[in-house]
Every structure is written in C-alpha cells, then in structure tokens.
C-alpha cells in the first residue's frame, strides 16, 4: 500500500504529527496510524483531503506518480 508509505514520508518531511493531520482532515489519529501501518485503507475523501493538506496530487499520494 503505497499510500501509507507516502503519507508517512510527507508527515516526516513536513514535521507534522499524525494528530495534527487528523484534526485538519476530520478523522481520528487512530485512522491515520492505521493507514500508515497498512491496517486499513483511507476513503476517497480522506485521500483527497490529505492531498489538499500537503498540496500534492492524489496521484502522488497514492504512489501513481513521483511528481
């Protein structure tokens, strides 16, 4: 699951906590943790909200592109 890996890298690169991301996109910190640890998959709206939050494309955050 590329999403979890990309999300983990974005959080680290931007020095943002899982809790901060969760509050901004309207999900629990536990949900974010499960995505990163490949225990669950995000909804379409969560993917879009993460992409908007980090100002990257949905394709990038899903691992479909490197730009």
């Amino acid at each position: 699951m590329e999403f979890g890996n990309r999300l983990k890298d974005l959080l680290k690169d931007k020095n943002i906590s899982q809790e901060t991301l969760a509050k901004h996109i309207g999900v629990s910190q536990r949900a974010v943790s499960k995505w990163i640890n490949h225990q669950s998959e995000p909804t379409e709206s969560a993917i879009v909200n993460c992409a908007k939050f980090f100002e990257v494309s949905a394709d990038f955050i899903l691992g479909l592109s490197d730009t």
Side-chain angles (χ1 to χ4, degrees):
M1 178 189 236
E2 190 66 32
F3 177 82
N5 296 334
R6 290 281 171 107
L7 185 58
K8 182 178 178 180
D9 290 344
L10 285 166
L11 287 168
K12 184 177 177 182
D13 291 347
K14 305 285 185 181
N15 196 29
I16 296 171
S17 70
Q18 292 179 15
E19 186 175 344
T20 299
L21 173 63
K23 286 180 183 179
H24 277 87
I25 66 169
V27 300
S28 69
Q29 181 274 327
R30 184 172 172 90
V32 174
S33 177
K34 284 184 172 186
W35 300 337
I36 290 171
N37 292 305
H38 313 289
Q39 295 174 340
S40 70
E41 294 187 19
T43 63
E44 183 179 324
S45 62
I47 293 167
V48 170
N49 289 337
C50 285
K52 287 180 181 178
F53 178 81
F54 287 109
E55 298 178 338
V56 297
S57 70
D59 282 351
F60 176 81
I61 208 164
L62 288 170
L64 301 174
S65 94
D66 289 329
T67 58

